[in-house]
Structure formats: C-alpha cells, structure tokens
C-alpha cells in the first residue's frame, strides 16, 4: 500500500551551510520558514497568527518557536527525511507542527480528521511514522493510533495523559550544543495521501516544489504588511503552508478561520478584514485596511 514517501527523487538528505549575510530577497532557505526569524527582526516586521479557537501569537515568537522546536525534535532522534505525523485541525497548532517538522529536515504528514481510523493506521504504517504531533483534544485518538502502528512518541500541544508536552521541545539543549535549524538546507516537504481500493497512495510535495509555489504566489499577490491572509480548511495543505509562510515573510497577518476558504467564505473574510484567501488558488478577496 502506497509507495516509499521518500521516493520521487527525494534522495538522501543534504545539508549546506549558508552565509549569514545571504540576501533574503530570494525567499526562505532550507524550509518554508528558513531565515524567517532573522528577516522579521531585521526589518522590524511584526504581525499576528490567529485561529478560530482564539489562539494567537506574534509572528516573531511563532518563528522562534519553530526554530527551537525543530532543534528539540533533533535532540529526540528525528533525522532529516523522517516522516512525522500531525493530528490537529487547521489551527495554530497545525501550522506550528508542519513548519517545525520541515525546519528539522523532516517530511510532514498532516492527517485528515475525516479519515477513518483504519486509513490513518495504514498511512502511518506505510510511511514508517514513529512520532506524532497532536492537538491535546485528539490525544486519545493519537494514542490508539500509536498502539496500532509503529509510532513510539506522541507529542501534544497542551497537557494530555501519556503524551510528551510540546513545550519540552523548546527547552535548551542540556549541553548547549545541537542542530541549528536556521543553517541547514534539506530536501524536506509535505506528504499527502488518498485512500483507494488498492490501499493508501501517497503524494510528496518536496521543498523545491513548495519554494516554486512560494515565488509564484509572491509575484501574483504582492503581499505587504497591511495584508491579512486567510488559510482555512478548504485549502490544499501545500497551498496553506506556502501561503501562511509567504504572509509572515512579508509581515502580513495570518488567520485560520473555522470555515472554508472558498467563495462561500467571503462574508466571513469581510468580518475579519481578510484581504487574501480563496481555494484552491489564493487571490485578493477584499480591500487592504492599512495598519
């Protein structure tokens, strides 16, 4: 069932040290959030990332959390090219998990909440997933998946019995050493899946493909710090990950609304002062409200 998620030219992970003075106009390096923290600090770009559950954070804090959590995953044994599962609704938690996995050089496998349990077990097993990042309310499901697959670690956003708190990934290295996610270039990516009569089929969106999408959206949307970008559940995972990263790169705010992000969501966009959204291709949906 399904092929090796590392197929399709992914190959072994490669690491390249980059010059600290590299011009960031070319876009992120290494992963979709590679170089984001430095850019936000240098250009004094600050906005918010907020979801429908009332969770909100500053983009500088968000970018720093991703770097620290990626280093924490490395200390816990995550290697470049490892597939890591994510069980969370479209939310701040899901965005954090996706970017953290890719910043650690891994392949993020976001699980769809409408998939049945057997499909989830099949995709976790076929992809050799050993670690799950999970929203606390879904921890019981995650633990059942772990019992019936090869998953050995469940890390939860928030407190949940029999799981490791995500906050532990943010602790400093005991010896002050370890992987620095801001300086690595990996063939990371996103893994999608679909249940078929012949089993679960996987589709890899590698970093190069995501970066190309980043540049296409950058050219077509021309985002600025006055924009507010919606990344709802109706978007394909790759589009949502790229669009949110692009928004933060340009100092725009990001909202993850509970509803879809297509034509039917435009009334909700107006209430949120959203300027960019849409599915499957993002577009301008409202006037810019200068901040």
């Amino acid at each position: 069932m399904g092929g090796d998620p590392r197929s399709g030219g992914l190959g072994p992970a490669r690491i390249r040290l980059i010059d600290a003075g590299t011009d960031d106009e070319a876009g992120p390096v290494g992963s979709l959030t590679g170089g984001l923290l430095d850019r936000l600090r240098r250009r004094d770009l600050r906005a918010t990332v907020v979801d429908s559950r009332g969770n909100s954070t500053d983009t500088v804090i968000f970018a720093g959390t991703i770097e620290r959590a990626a280093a924490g995953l490395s200390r816990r044994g995550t290697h470049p090219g490892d597939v890591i599962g994510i069980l969370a609704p479209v939310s701040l938690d899901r965005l954090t998990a996706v970017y953290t996995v890719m910043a650690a050089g891994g392949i993020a496998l976001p699980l769809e909440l409408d998939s049945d349990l057997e499909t989830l077990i099949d995709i976790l097993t076929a992809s050799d997933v050993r670690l799950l990042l999970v929203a606390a309310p879904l921890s019981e499901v995650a633990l059942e998946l772990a019992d019936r697959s090869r998953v050995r670690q469940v890390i939860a956003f928030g407190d949940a019995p029999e799981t490791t708190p995500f906050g532990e990934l943010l602790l400093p290295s005991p010896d002050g050493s370890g992987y620095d996610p801001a300086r690595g270039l990996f063939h990371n990516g996103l893994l999608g899946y679909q249940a078929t009569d012949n089993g679960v089929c996987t589709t890899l969106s590698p970093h190069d493909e995501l970066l190309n999408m980043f540049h296409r959206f950058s050219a077509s949307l021309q985002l600025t710090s006055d924009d507010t970008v919606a990344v709802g559940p109706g978007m394909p995972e790759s589009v949502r990950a790229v669009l949110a990263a692009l928004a933060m790169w340009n100092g725009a705010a990001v909202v993850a609304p509970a509803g879809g992000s297509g034509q039917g969501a435009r009334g909700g966009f107006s209430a949120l002062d959203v300027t960019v959204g849409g599915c499957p291709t993002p577009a301008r949906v409202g006037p810019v409200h200068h901040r």
Side-chain angles (χ1 to χ4, degrees):
M1 292 181 296
D4 184 345
R6 302 183 181 90
S7 64
L10 183 63
R14 292 180 292 176
I15 304 175
R16 174 172 66 86
L17 294 183
I18 63 174
D19 180 5
T22 297
D23 184 0
D24 59 12
E25 290 298 333
V29 177
S31 76
L32 286 176
T33 55
L36 175 61
L37 180 59
D38 287 343
R39 177 182 170 89
L40 294 176
R41 285 173 170 168
R42 283 201 310 272
R43 299 182 175 230
D44 195 25
L45 295 172
R46 303 188 79 95
T48 57
V49 184
V50 62
D51 64 25
S52 62
R53 291 162 176 77
N55 301 310
S56 177
T57 187
D58 176 280
T59 49
V60 172
I61 295 173
F62 183 77
T65 296
I66 291 164
E67 290 198 2
R68 291 162 59 199
L73 281 181
S74 178
R75 289 195 302 272
R76 285 186 165 269
T78 296
H79 300 287
D82 283 353
V83 182
I84 296 179
I86 297 164
L87 185 63
V90 175
S91 60
L92 187 58
D93 289 348
R94 187 169 175 124
L95 288 173
T96 301
V98 166
Y99 293 137
T100 294
V101 171
M102 291 195 289
I107 301 169
L109 170 59
L111 302 173
E112 299 304 327
L113 302 189
D114 57 359
S115 293
D116 62 75
L117 197 63
E118 296 305 320
T119 296
L120 296 180
I121 293 168
D122 286 347
I123 184 59
L124 291 173
T125 302
S127 304
D128 196 27
V129 172
R130 304 301 176 97
L131 187 151
L132 273 177
L133 292 169
V134 58
L138 297 173
S139 60
E140 290 186 8
V141 176
L143 291 170
E144 182 173 356
L145 292 173
D147 286 341
R148 301 178 60 187
S149 67
R150 298 173 184 170
V151 171
R152 293 295 174 265
Q153 295 185 70
V154 177
I155 298 177
F157 291 92
D159 295 326
E162 301 181 58
T163 68
T164 300
F166 180 81
E168 290 194 11
L169 297 181
L170 308 180
L171 298 175
S173 172
D175 60 4
S177 63
Y179 159 68
D180 177 3
R183 300 190 64 82
L185 177 60
F186 300 111
H187 284 264
N188 53 59
L190 280 166
L191 191 66
Y193 67 93
Q194 183 177 13
T196 71
D197 293 340
N198 297 320
V200 179
C201 296
T202 60
T203 303
L204 177 67
S205 298
H207 174 66
D208 288 350
E209 181 179 305
L210 298 174
L211 189 59
N212 286 338
M213 189 187 301
F214 182 100
H215 290 305
R216 290 199 307 273
F217 289 171
S218 179
S220 64
L221 297 173
Q222 297 290 309
L223 296 179
T224 73
S225 58
D226 290 319
D227 280 303
T228 298
V229 177
V231 289
M235 282 185 174
E237 197 74 43
S238 58
V239 173
R240 180 165 49 245
V242 169
L243 185 59
L246 177 65
M248 291 184 287
W249 191 259
N250 289 284
V254 178
V255 297
S261 53
Q263 184 72 26
R266 293 192 179 223
F269 285 172
S270 177
L272 294 168
D273 289 338
V274 167
T275 60
V276 173
C279 176
T281 303
R284 292 204 166 269
V285 297
V288 172
H289 298 265
H290 296 285
R291 292 197 288 267

